[in-house]
Amino acid sequence: MAELLTFVLGDIFGMVTLFVGIAIGVSLALLWVKFTQTKPKTAAESDSEEDPTVFREQLAGMIQFTSHFTGDLNKHIELLENLEQKLAQPSEVSSQGDDGPSDKAVQLIAQITAANQRLKQRLESAEATLKNQAQELEDTLSEARTDALTQLLNRRAFDEERNRRWALWQRKQQPFSLLMLDIDYFKLVNDRFGHDAGDAVLKEVAARLSSVMRQTDYLARIGGEEMAILMPDGDWDSIVTVARKILNVIRALPVQYDDTEIEITVSCGLMSASHAESPESLMRGADEALYAAKKGGRNRGFLNTGEDLVPIEEDPPEARTISPEALEETPKVSNGESEVSAMVPLNELDAAANELKNRLSQLSQRAMPQ
């Protein structure tokens, strides 16, 4: 009687578990089909569509659900296997004629275990595929927000972060400042040494800036040779300290390109959100300070207080300031090889012109009739 009751209970329990497992598997399969038919949005589509964070959360939820269900199923399989072993052992009180129901119960539980094992494998496969899809989606989103050359964040990512920090400033008065910088005479670098050299300069500047950035700073390339930094500071001392650090790390050493050393400097403009009325006015204010730095001789920075443009250095160093003259004196690069520039200093040209003038004068006097 006891074994018959065990058989009936095992039968009911096994069938319920099997149907529940199948139902869950079908539901997950439908969700998976729906997900695989949804392609990742392009950058242009994402601007007007739902925030990509929603897709990350959905994927994470599905992965977590399948992982938990797989763990529960493992425990259930282990329980059934233990029950199968107990039923397979001969009972001390049962007779030889009562072994029929036990054999049937063992066979039924073995079938249920096999079905559940197959379902477990399907779930593990779905979980692995979901993880791969999540990584691919993350990589796609990362590429859409990253500058391919410098590996810095791009303009789109910068605008999103700027607007987010502005919202925090408006709601919670969390201060932040914007620093915009521009590589001095970058067009001359491209014209004289080639675009490969220009790319090397951009990557080197990005690397140097990253080396002095704090974890809370947000560095992005927002234009050709223009970069921007969002800093969670609003007071003079904090933002000026960062700006001076940036100027010094860039002007410290020339960029080595093949056998050529290219002198580089940057100009920068700063403004705190506390002096702006909107994210756009913050950009305009920092850009005005940047223009003042360029107009003032480059290789320096200005702070826009909302009323005045104040230099951040009392006496900017001039020794390593990049200039058209400095670039002309640098050996020209052609086809990846260095060659001495054919440019002749102006003082030598003047001397040659005077000597030629004197000789022409002497010749003209000799040719005159006596």
Side-chain angles (χ1 to χ4, degrees):
M1 187 67 181
E3 296 210 3
L4 180 60
L5 180 61
T6 300
F7 167 73
V8 173
L9 291 176
D11 192 4
I12 296 174
F13 178 68
M15 294 301 293
V16 169
T17 304
L18 181 61
F19 284 119
V20 169
I22 293 174
I24 293 175
V26 171
S27 300
L28 285 173
L30 292 174
L31 287 173
W32 174 243
V33 170
K34 182 179 179 180
F35 173 76
T36 53
Q37 290 176 348
T38 304
K39 297 181 179 179
K41 292 182 173 59
T42 62
E45 293 171 339
S46 297
D47 288 337
S48 58
E49 296 292 334
E50 203 172 352
D51 191 329
T53 306
V54 176
F55 296 102
R56 291 196 191 98
E57 293 175 351
Q58 291 176 346
L59 281 170
M62 294 180 70
I63 292 172
Q64 184 178 14
F65 174 78
T66 54
S67 178
H68 288 172
F69 183 77
T70 301
D72 294 339
L73 199 56
N74 282 334
K75 294 179 181 178
H76 174 60
I77 292 174
E78 183 179 354
L79 178 64
L80 288 179
E81 288 174 347
N82 292 336
L83 181 59
E84 180 182 0
Q85 291 178 0
K86 290 181 180 180
L87 291 175
Q89 295 175 356
S91 174
E92 296 179 358
V93 297
S94 61
S95 61
Q96 294 290 333
D98 293 334
D99 287 341
S102 296
D103 292 339
K104 292 180 180 179
V106 170
Q107 293 175 2
L108 177 61
I109 292 175
Q111 293 174 0
I112 295 172
T113 302
N116 284 337
Q117 186 67 34
R118 289 193 297 271
L119 179 59
K120 172 178 175 291
Q121 292 174 353
R122 290 197 299 271
L123 283 172
E124 289 176 346
S125 176
E127 181 180 354
T129 307
L130 279 172
K131 288 181 178 179
N132 291 335
Q133 288 289 332
Q135 186 60 50
E136 290 178 4
L137 177 60
E138 189 68 31
D139 293 342
T140 301
L141 293 173
S142 177
E143 290 176 2
R145 296 167 56 85
T146 303
D147 176 63
L149 177 64
T150 63
Q151 297 304 304
L152 299 180
L153 296 163
N154 60 15
R155 179 60 183 263
R156 178 189 174 197
F158 168 80
D159 287 341
E160 291 175 358
E161 181 64 15
R162 180 202 60 190
N163 293 337
R164 186 188 73 83
R165 295 200 183 195
W166 181 265
L168 288 175
W169 162 246
Q170 294 293 300
R171 291 199 309 266
K172 300 182 180 180
Q173 294 299 295
Q174 292 185 5
F176 77 100
S177 298
L178 169 64
L179 184 151
M180 296 179 63
L181 63 91
D182 197 274
I183 301 175
D184 296 329
Y185 298 110
F186 183 72
K187 185 177 184 302
L188 289 176
V189 174
N190 278 331
D191 291 344
R192 181 147 185 84
F193 307 112
H195 289 280
D196 288 343
D199 290 347
V201 167
L202 283 169
K203 290 191 283 187
E204 179 63 20
V205 169
R208 293 187 190 184
L209 292 176
S210 299
S211 70
V212 297
M213 290 296 97
R214 303 163 299 178
Q215 290 184 349
T216 51
D217 295 331
Y218 198 89
L219 171 63
R221 181 188 179 193
I222 61 174
E225 68 271 21
E226 194 172 18
M227 301 179 190
I229 305 169
L230 294 169
M231 303 177 292
D233 307 295
D235 61 287
W236 165 275
D237 291 335
S238 298
I239 61 178
V240 166
T241 298
V242 175
R244 289 173 179 168
K245 217 182 265 190
I246 287 170
L247 291 171
N248 289 330
V249 76
I250 299 300
R251 65 168 63 121
L253 294 170
V255 173
Q256 188 72 35
Y257 177 70
D258 291 339
D259 296 331
T260 305
E261 290 185 345
I262 306 175
E263 301 286 352
I264 56 168
T265 59
V266 296
S267 302
C268 65
L270 302 91
M271 190 174 189
S272 171
S274 59
H275 300 310
E277 298 177 353
S278 66
E280 291 73 24
S281 68
L282 177 64
M283 293 285 290
R284 287 194 300 269
D287 197 53
E288 289 174 3
L290 173 60
Y291 178 76
K294 290 182 179 180
K295 189 176 179 181
R298 293 177 169 83
N299 189 22
R300 65 197 67 210
F302 273 75
L303 173 68
N304 191 335
T305 65
E307 298 178 355
D308 299 310
L309 296 171
V310 183
I312 67 171
E313 295 175 308
E314 295 181 0
D315 187 19
E318 302 290 347
R320 304 193 68 85
T321 302
I322 187 172
S323 65
E325 293 77 14
L327 286 173
E328 293 295 350
E329 293 173 3
T330 308
K332 185 177 180 181
V333 175
S334 176
N335 298 326
E337 297 179 356
S338 298
E339 58 182 19
V340 179
S341 174
M343 299 293 293
V344 180
L346 291 178
N347 56 350
E348 294 185 15
L349 288 174
D350 291 339
N354 290 332
E355 183 179 354
L356 180 60
K357 182 179 178 181
N358 292 333
R359 291 184 179 180
L360 288 173
S361 178
Q362 293 174 4
L363 289 173
S364 63
Q365 290 177 0
R366 293 177 183 174
M368 292 176 65
Q370 299 296 328

